[in-house]
């Protein structure tokens, strides 16, 4: 173990990924977490390489997806538990124009490693979808059982005296030359992974991190017997290890309430029926607030003035894929001055 001590503030996926990668680099991490339910606790953990209305490759796709798959497998080996569920995504075409576009992309060298129109894959679809839908299969898809990973990592941190369950008080923080002091103890660096609570941090309070509310349902239905694919058409459906179908998600920049909404239920059930008609039974309903930014890029890196203060935030709806990659870049920046991607540095907002 090195002498480098890192104070990690937060308990969501970004904080846990930073903790995990700190261990890989023999850093001595301490997590301070108020254990309040965050977006990570209710996130579906989707891995989807093609996103947006035009189904373009997600940003940095060819870098972040191989890294994410490798990283989560290493977490499985470390904890002896399963977190990564690699599944083909069966995307149902919206219309003929999208069908033509996807078939064209399947022949494009930049896309063909991600798209399959293999008839063999169709043969194992549920009978209704095989007979009544047109679609293509996206590779490198799947989902992460985020709650399981969070629980395993936090228990490991507790067992090794690397975890404090308490609220962080920014007034007790002292940023000194070459070190960080908090409640009388010294650290080499502090990392803010607080999501939408970053506004509580006086050093990063002006960052334009916005909350985007998402709601997800846990359903029982016919697709509960089919765990071989992740189904997608405007929303996603897949079978979670808890036995329920995850169906989501909604997106709202205006709804700031912490309540579940009937509007979300109506929307998600309607879209679920467009994929597979069924008399769905609602067992669970969750909501959370994703941290997003105006330019849809994360905020990762060193404070422009305080060189021992770092941030890992703003992953939006793509935290399962972006967070490991940028946590890795950030840890290497702390240790070796290996710079993070210029497009995500916080100084773009200062």
């Amino acid at each position: 173990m090195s002498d480098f001590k890192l104070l990690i503030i937060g308990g969501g996926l970004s904080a846990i990924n930073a903790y995990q990668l700190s261990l890989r680099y023999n850093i001595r991490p301490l997590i301070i977490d108020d254990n309040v339910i965050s977006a990570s606790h209710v996130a579906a953990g989707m891995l989807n390489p093609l996103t947006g209305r035009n189904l373009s490759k997600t940003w940095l796709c060819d870098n972040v997806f191989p890294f994410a798959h490798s990283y989560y497998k290493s977490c499985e080996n470390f904890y002896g538990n399963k977190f990564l569920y690699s599944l083909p995504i069966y995307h149902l075409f919206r219309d003929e124009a999208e069908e033509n576009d996807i078939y064209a992309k399947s022949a494009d060298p930049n896309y063909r490693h991600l798209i399959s129109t293999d008839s063999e894959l169709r043969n194992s679809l549920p009978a209704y979808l095989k007979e009544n839908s047109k679609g293509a299969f996206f590779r490198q898809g799947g989902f992460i059982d985020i709650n399981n990973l969070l629980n395993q990592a936090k228990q490991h941190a507790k067992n090794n005296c690397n975890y404090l369950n308490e609220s962080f008080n920014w007034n007790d923080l002292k940023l000194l030359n070459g070190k960080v002091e908090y409640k009388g103890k010294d650290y080499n660096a502090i990392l803010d992974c607080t999501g939408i609570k970053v506004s509580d941090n006086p050093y990063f309070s002006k960052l334009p991190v916005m909350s985007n509310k998402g709601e997800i349902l846990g359903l029982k239905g016919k697709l509960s017997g089919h765990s071989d694919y992740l189904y997608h058409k405007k929303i996603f459906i897949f079978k979670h290890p808890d036995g329920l179908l995850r169906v989501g998600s909604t997106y709202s920049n205006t709804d700031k309430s912490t309540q579940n909404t009937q509007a979300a239920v109506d929307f998600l059930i309607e879209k679920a029926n467009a994929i597979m008609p069924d008399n769905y039974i609602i067992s669970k309903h969750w909501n959370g607030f994703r941290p997003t930014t105006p330019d849809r890029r994360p905020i990762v890196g060193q404070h422009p003035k305080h060189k021992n203060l770092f941030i890992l935030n703003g992953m939006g709806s793509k935290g399962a894929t972006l967070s490991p990659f940028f946590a890795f870049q950030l840890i290497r920046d702390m240790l070796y001055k290996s710079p993070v991607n210029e497009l995500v540095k916080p100084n773009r907002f200062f």
Side-chain angles (χ1 to χ4, degrees):
M1 190 67 70
S2 76
D3 292 328
F4 194 99
K5 297 179 182 179
L6 174 62
L7 189 58
I8 301 171
I9 314 304
L13 185 59
S14 287
I16 292 308
N17 288 339
Y19 172 77
Q20 196 65 30
L21 288 161
S22 295
L23 298 178
R24 181 183 295 186
Y25 280 90
N26 293 316
I27 288 173
R28 299 166 66 184
L30 175 67
I31 297 173
I32 297 184
D33 172 28
D34 60 12
N35 213 27
V36 173
I37 298 297
S38 68
S40 295
H41 292 84
V42 300
M46 278 275 294
L47 304 176
N48 185 2
L50 302 178
T51 59
R53 182 161 185 82
N54 295 324
L55 293 174
S56 299
K57 287 165 72 172
T58 192
W59 185 54
L60 297 179
C61 174
D62 293 332
N63 299 112
V64 300
F65 271 78
F67 187 90
H69 281 268
S70 174
Y71 166 76
Y72 289 118
K73 287 177 182 176
S74 74
C75 291
E76 291 181 335
N77 292 333
F78 186 84
Y79 292 111
N81 216 300
K82 186 166 180 61
F83 311 120
L84 171 64
Y85 293 81
S86 297
L87 297 173
I89 298 172
Y90 180 57
H91 173 78
L92 288 76
F93 299 137
R94 289 192 300 262
D95 50 38
E96 186 176 347
E98 184 180 75
E99 179 180 2
N100 292 336
D101 179 56
I102 292 297
Y103 273 97
K105 284 178 176 173
S106 69
D108 184 332
N110 291 319
Y111 280 88
R112 62 189 178 199
H113 63 294
L114 296 173
I115 301 173
S116 173
T117 56
D118 190 346
S119 59
E120 289 296 320
L121 290 172
R122 285 193 63 84
N123 290 336
S124 56
L125 285 172
Y128 176 85
L129 290 176
K130 189 161 49 176
E131 296 168 5
N132 296 281
S133 71
K134 291 184 177 181
F137 298 89
F138 298 163
R139 302 186 182 99
Q140 296 189 28
F143 67 94
I144 306 302
D145 188 349
I146 293 180
N147 260 321
N148 191 16
L149 176 57
L150 297 185
N151 291 336
Q152 293 287 325
K154 288 182 184 182
Q155 189 59 54
H156 179 274
K158 291 174 185 177
N159 292 345
N160 290 276
C161 300
N162 293 330
Y163 183 92
L164 291 177
N165 182 8
E166 63 183 46
S167 296
F168 186 82
N169 188 341
W170 290 100
N171 293 325
D172 291 333
L173 176 69
K174 295 179 182 179
L175 298 176
L176 309 171
N177 289 330
K179 68 175 182 178
V180 172
E181 183 181 308
Y182 183 70
K183 293 187 175 181
K185 294 185 178 181
D186 293 342
Y187 303 88
N188 295 89
I190 178 172
L191 174 59
D192 187 325
C193 301
T194 56
I196 62 172
K197 291 183 180 179
V198 69
S199 57
D200 295 337
N201 181 340
Y203 304 99
F204 282 127
S205 60
K206 294 183 179 179
L207 291 177
V209 175
M210 305 169 293
S211 63
N212 182 287
K213 185 177 181 179
E215 298 186 53
I216 294 175
L217 300 179
L219 306 181
K220 294 179 180 178
K222 296 173 185 175
L223 284 175
S224 299
H226 298 273
S227 57
D228 295 334
Y229 296 104
L230 206 154
Y231 306 94
H232 180 261
K233 184 180 181 181
K234 297 185 179 179
I235 63 162
F236 58 78
I237 302 179
F238 63 87
K239 185 179 179 181
H240 192 270
D242 64 11
L244 296 177
L245 296 171
R246 287 292 188 276
V247 179
S249 176
T250 63
Y251 298 84
S252 175
N253 291 320
T254 57
D255 183 0
K256 305 302 179 183
S257 76
T258 58
Q259 303 300 311
N260 294 328
T261 66
Q262 185 60 42
V265 172
D266 295 342
F267 172 81
L268 293 173
I269 293 296
E270 177 189 352
K271 300 306 179 187
N273 276 308
I275 294 175
M276 170 70 92
D278 199 354
N279 294 317
Y280 292 103
I281 299 172
I282 301 173
S283 295
K284 298 284 186 179
H285 188 171
W286 302 273
N287 76 79
F289 292 88
R290 314 172 184 93
T292 63
T293 63
D295 58 6
R296 298 186 179 183
R297 297 286 183 260
I299 303 176
V300 183
Q302 189 179 57
H303 191 281
K305 179 180 178 182
H306 302 286
K307 303 306 180 183
N308 300 94
L309 174 59
F310 296 82
I311 188 168
L312 183 63
N313 206 325
M315 303 294 160
S317 61
K318 299 175 182 175
T321 48
L322 293 179
S323 176
F325 181 80
F326 283 112
F328 172 75
Q329 285 201 349
L330 187 60
I331 294 298
R332 290 184 59 81
D333 185 24
M334 288 181 189
L335 292 177
Y336 311 123
K337 307 302 179 187
S338 176
V340 300
N341 188 304
E342 286 291 333
L343 296 177
V344 302
K345 289 184 176 180
N347 58 12
R348 71 190 192 272
F349 295 119
F350 282 84

